[in-house]
Amino acid sequence: MEHVDVLIVGAGLSGIGAACRLQRQCPGRNYLILEGRDAIGGTWDLFRYPGIRSDSDMYTLGYAFKPWRGGKLLADGPAIREYVAETAEENGVAPHIRFGHRVRGAAWSSADACWKVTAEVNGETRDYRCNFLFMCAGYYSYRQGHTPEFPGREAFRGEVIHPQFWPEELDYSGKRVVIIGSGATAVTLVPAMAQSAGQVTMLQRSPTYMMNQPQYDRLSLWLGKVLPEKTAYHLSRWKNAWRQRLVYLATRIAPGLVKKVFIGQVRKQLGPDYDVETHFTPDYNPWDERLCAVPDNDLFE
């Protein structure tokens, strides 16, 4: 049974970041990363639907020790995947990854003061021991995403597709599409598919707060021109983190005012004749549920 000081589960954004931090701050410790799939990137490698992007800005989602150079605040999936893989390569993390190792169980032994971790590899079981177990597997089920049961679905003659398992060769040009949901995935899919589909309809149970956000952070780009790269990056991280914090605090202190601002922005984009009250006005306060970022008004367009 192989023993390491630290065992990291998952080679996505968090797992690679944890490995880099461990190497920098605890260079005397050895570690392994167990990754169930055959690639680095986690969510950003798994999801391949049209327009896939982050809804968190990359100055705060990215690593503090590696400046984000992609330009866009809300980066697309392939760019984030490349960023994570590049980080692993630059820091020599790749040799520590065991691909195709799906963790099936973990048990703490007080007698041995260590964890025993069981992984499935090509249908066989493999055991590891470690002093510290770091779970970086995220909160998605990669095997099967949430799929509601709709009565009569079997009678539908069209294709029913889950974004998590997007067919690589799917051709939806000129077709009528219904996207069920109003969260981050739907807000990403609608403008991307509308470019070539015949008609795209977002079918929602209840509206979500939409917050327009510039695709590029002009202040951060300007800082990058006048300051050393790492200094500019750290200032941008600090600025964006505090901006998010202040927006959240405002929703707690004056939810009615923040709601008025958000809805007002939507009205400004869609015009006075659009039924914003029905389609874009939630019955809860901002940040009681997640907000959705709309880069450069693409959804409203």
Side-chain angles (χ1 to χ4, degrees):
M1 185 185 301
E2 192 169 357
H3 181 97
V4 291
D5 294 319
V6 182
L7 200 59
I8 299 170
V9 179
L13 187 70
S14 296
I16 299 301
C20 293
R21 288 285 192 182
L22 185 65
Q23 290 183 167
R24 289 164 178 263
Q25 298 178 16
C26 304
R29 302 294 183 182
N30 63 341
Y31 72 93
L32 285 175
I33 301 177
L34 301 185
E35 167 57 49
R37 301 175 69 248
D38 295 319
I40 289 174
T43 296
W44 302 110
D45 181 72
L46 175 73
F47 286 81
R48 302 296 181 101
Y49 58 81
I52 172 69
R53 65 172 183 240
S54 166
D55 61 349
S56 298
D57 81 87
M58 288 305 298
Y59 291 100
T60 53
L61 183 66
Y63 303 119
F65 56 86
K66 180 176 171 59
W68 166 250
R69 301 186 180 100
K72 290 183 179 181
L73 270 176
L74 305 179
D76 57 77
I80 300 175
R81 186 170 68 248
E82 183 179 340
Y83 174 73
V84 177
E86 187 178 89
T87 302
E89 181 66 27
E90 290 175 354
N91 290 272
V93 172
H96 298 267
I97 304 174
R98 302 287 176 86
F99 292 108
H101 283 56
R102 188 176 299 277
V103 173
R104 291 302 188 190
W108 171 256
S109 170
S110 296
D112 299 323
C114 68
W115 287 92
K116 179 182 177 182
V117 178
T118 302
E120 182 181 319
V121 187
N122 296 323
E124 298 180 355
T125 298
R126 192 167 298 173
D127 294 328
Y128 293 87
R129 295 201 313 171
C130 63
N131 301 103
F132 192 93
L133 179 61
F134 201 166
M135 302 299 294
C136 297
Y139 52 83
Y140 290 110
S141 169
Y142 284 10
R143 175 160 292 184
Q144 179 62 55
H146 177 59
T147 307
E149 288 297 323
F150 298 111
R153 173 176 167 174
E154 66 281 354
F156 178 59
R157 294 183 179 181
E159 294 182 84
V160 180
I161 296 161
H162 196 295
Q164 186 166 320
F165 307 104
W166 196 270
E168 195 171 327
E169 304 300 327
L170 179 67
D171 180 15
Y172 54 85
S173 57
K175 294 186 178 181
R176 292 176 295 172
V177 179
V178 174
I179 296 171
I180 300 175
S182 61
T185 302
V187 170
T188 301
L189 275 170
V190 170
M193 297 188 73
Q195 295 178 24
S196 60
Q199 178 182 348
V200 178
T201 301
M202 184 169 76
L203 188 65
Q204 57 183 7
R205 178 176 55 188
S206 59
T208 299
Y209 283 105
M210 305 293 176
M211 182 173 64
N212 181 49
Q213 188 165 346
Q215 186 65 277
Y216 294 91
D217 186 335
R218 293 183 180 180
L219 179 56
S220 295
L221 292 175
W222 178 80
L223 288 173
K225 293 179 180 179
V226 300
L227 295 173
E229 183 181 48
K230 287 190 176 181
T231 302
Y233 181 61
H234 286 304
L235 285 174
S236 296
R237 282 175 64 86
W238 181 87
K239 171 184 69 70
N240 287 10
W242 269 103
R243 183 189 63 186
Q244 294 174 29
R245 178 66 176 162
L246 290 173
V247 169
Y248 175 76
L249 288 175
T251 66
R252 303 299 89 187
I253 297 170
L257 177 60
V258 176
K259 179 175 182 176
K260 186 176 180 180
V261 170
F262 284 162
I263 302 302
Q265 289 179 343
V266 176
R267 290 188 191 281
K268 182 179 178 181
Q269 296 301 323
L270 297 177
D273 298 328
Y274 194 91
D275 190 0
V276 173
E277 190 67 30
T278 297
H279 302 301
F280 284 94
T281 305
D283 59 4
Y284 53 87
N285 287 327
W287 263 126
D288 283 357
E289 296 183 19
R290 273 187 85 179
L291 304 176
C292 278
V294 178
D296 287 342
N297 300 310
D298 63 357
L299 176 74
F300 304 128
E301 291 176 3

